[in-house]
């Protein structure tokens, strides 16, 4: 199991970014969460037993799953896996 946390900056709020990120995660069988942050960024935790699917997910996020969105900066770092049963959109 490999897990990553991703911080995405750019035009990523108010453009369906979380919704389309969840669609991408569901398609690739990625588990985790996505949440809008107060500073305008989006925070993602993603994990999978299939490392290729996780890499495909990261690439999909980097190219913005939302056609109206734009990713200007993205930080990816490894983290310890958590007990996720699915990929969820979180609200603050």
């Amino acid at each position: 199991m490999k897990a990553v946390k991703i911080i995405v900056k750019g035009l990523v709020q108010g453009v369906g970014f979380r919704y389309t990120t969840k669609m991408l995660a569901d398609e690739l069988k990625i588990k985790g969460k996505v949440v809008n942050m107060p500073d305008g960024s989006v925070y993602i935790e993603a994990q999978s037993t299939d490392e290729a699917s996780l890499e495909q997910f990261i690439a999909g996020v980097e190219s913005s799953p939302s056609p109206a969105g734009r990713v200007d900066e993205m930080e990816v770092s490894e983290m310890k896996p958590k007990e996720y049963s699915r990929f969820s959109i979180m609200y603050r």
Side-chain angles (χ1 to χ4, degrees):
M1 177 77 65
K2 182 174 178 180
V4 295
K5 61 182 174 181
I6 306 169
I7 298 170
V8 188
K9 297 179 181 177
L11 182 58
V12 293
Q13 289 192 16
V15 293
F17 194 89
R18 287 177 303 166
Y19 175 75
T20 52
T21 297
K22 179 178 175 13
M23 288 175 50
L24 177 63
D26 289 347
E27 180 182 317
L28 295 170
K29 296 180 177 39
I30 302 295
K31 295 178 181 175
K33 69 179 182 179
V34 59
V35 61
N36 282 346
M37 300 304 287
D39 68 357
S41 67
V42 169
Y43 176 78
I44 301 167
E45 290 182 359
Q47 63 188 40
S48 177
T49 54
D50 180 2
E51 199 166 322
S53 290
L54 190 59
E55 292 300 324
Q56 192 175 349
F57 175 78
I58 293 167
V61 169
E62 189 169 27
S63 63
S64 183
S66 170
R70 184 189 70 247
V71 174
D72 295 334
E73 187 181 326
M74 191 168 102
E75 299 170 29
V76 180
S77 56
E78 287 197 36
M79 60 178 273
K80 285 187 173 186
K82 295 186 180 177
E83 293 294 322
Y84 288 114
S85 60
R86 64 184 187 279
F87 195 89
S88 301
I89 297 173
M90 307 298 289
Y91 301 91
R92 290 198 153 239

